[in-house]
Structures are given as C-alpha cells and as structure tokens.
Amino acid sequence: MTTSVASPEADLNAAVPAPGQPTAAIDTGRVADLIAQLLVELGEDPAREGLIGTPDRVAAWWNAFLSPGGTATAACFTESQLGGQLVIVGGMSVWSLCEHHMLPMNLQVTAGYVPDGEVVGLSKFGRIAQHFAGRLQVQERFTRQVAEYLTGVIGREDIAVAARGVHLCMSMRGVRMEEARTTTVQTSGRFRTDPVLSQQFFTVAAGQWGAP
C-alpha cells in the first residue's frame, strides 16, 4: 500500500510529458521496419503467409495505444445539498504496459471522494484512468497520477484511489504465478485521517474486486 499527500495536476495535456508518456510523434513506418527485423531475428519470415502485414498492424497498435490523446476538462455539477457523502466509482478496467518488460497489465481501478457542494461527472473517472494507462507504466505511478489529477479536479485532498493489477510480466514469465495480484492504494485528506471513511472505501473496493 502506498499513501501520500497528493498535489493538483493541472492539465492532462501538459507540455512536459509525465514519466512513461511519449515525447514525440511515433513514426509507424520505422516501427513496422523494426518489427519486421525482430521477426527475422526470431527466426521468422515476415513475408510468409500469416505474417504479411503483421509489422504494420503492430506498429498501428503501438501508435494507437501510446497516443490516447487528452481528455476533456472534467465536468463538475453543483449540488449544494451534498456534504459529507462518500462517492465511489469502481468497475473501471484499463490496460497498460509494464515499462520493465513491455508486457500488458490489466488494472481494476476504484476511486472515491467526498463532494462538497458539487459532484464530478462520472464518465470522467474512466477517461482519466484510460489516459494515464495509455503509456509505458508501473502500477504504483499510475495510481498516484490518477489520484493527483482527481485532487486537482475537486480542489481538495479528500481522494482515494485503489488499483488491483494482473501483470503478465509475473504471470507468463519469471515465476509464472497466474493468480498473483498487485494492489496499490493512494489516499489523502480525510481518507488518511478518518478511519471510518477509509474503511468504507476499502470495503467497497474489495467487494468490487471480489477480494477478501
């Protein structure tokens, strides 16, 4: 578990890229050439039936995955009667790539916050998660980035984000433990100081994952 005080992250499209975010446009033609060279080095023939067009398809996928684009400013709606209510958005499943082995990881994400006079549009939670997943990542950094951005959206530090990940770099290589799961949690504000609020969040998150 990781906990830290989050600071606002002003813009998903900031000029200075965050770690794991591509710094330049992807040359898909060059990537396709490199994939073809890789196939040759692996003892394959890129020109054989079944592999024709594969380098181009792989290059197109890399370009699409690593260029998720920005997300529109999160919409907030006035709800003057709200105060002290816990809002939890779960069931968000995103794919990312482990930057250590360039293998996929699937992250189940749950986010919670305490509204005060306004609420955040629900669809934005998923878009924010997708944005930070669409790059070479580590789960710990992803969890922190989502929490920090949401802190900037609501303007307060009453934020909790939990992610439960399946990492193919652990499931299909190395120790090959298919049932292994990694959980990261980033909390701030009242989620750090109010044990009841914190327990409510963790109970709901664990229930959504089907985890004890």
Side-chain angles (χ1 to χ4, degrees), residues 23-174:
T23 58
I26 296 173
D27 184 342
T28 54
R30 175 60 175 157
V31 173
D33 289 341
L34 293 172
I35 296 299
Q37 292 177 39
L38 175 61
L39 289 171
V40 171
E41 295 302 321
L42 293 176
E44 282 286 0
D45 177 7
R48 77 166 171 81
E49 184 180 4
L51 287 180
I52 295 175
T54 292
D56 291 329
R57 286 189 291 270
V58 174
W61 176 83
W62 276 105
N63 183 59
F65 187 86
L66 295 176
S67 306
T71 179
T73 302
C76 295
F77 304 94
T78 300
E79 290 288 346
S80 58
Q81 301 303 313
L82 286 182
Q85 185 181 84
L86 172 59
V87 177
I88 299 177
V89 181
M92 296 179 285
S93 177
V94 296
W95 285 94
S96 190
L97 288 171
C98 164
E99 68 180 30
H100 300 143
H101 303 97
M102 296 179 72
L103 288 173
M105 56 180 168
N106 180 249
L107 304 174
Q108 302 292 324
V109 185
T110 302
Y113 77 106
V114 180
D116 184 13
E118 62 180 13
V119 295
V120 180
L122 297 179
S123 66
K124 296 307 177 185
F125 287 89
R127 294 185 185 278
I128 292 166
Q130 287 178 334
H131 178 84
F132 288 109
R135 61 189 67 178
L136 299 181
Q137 266 288 17
V138 295
Q139 182 176 331
E140 296 87 344
R141 183 194 304 136
F142 166 84
T143 308
R144 174 181 57 80
Q145 288 174 331
V146 172
E148 288 180 349
Y149 186 80
L150 287 173
T151 298
V153 169
I154 72 168
R156 299 186 314 284
E157 294 184 345
D158 300 331
I159 286 288
V161 175
R164 190 168 191 248
V166 177
H167 297 246
L168 266 63
C169 60
M170 191 173 184
S171 300
M172 66 179 293
R173 63 167 295 282

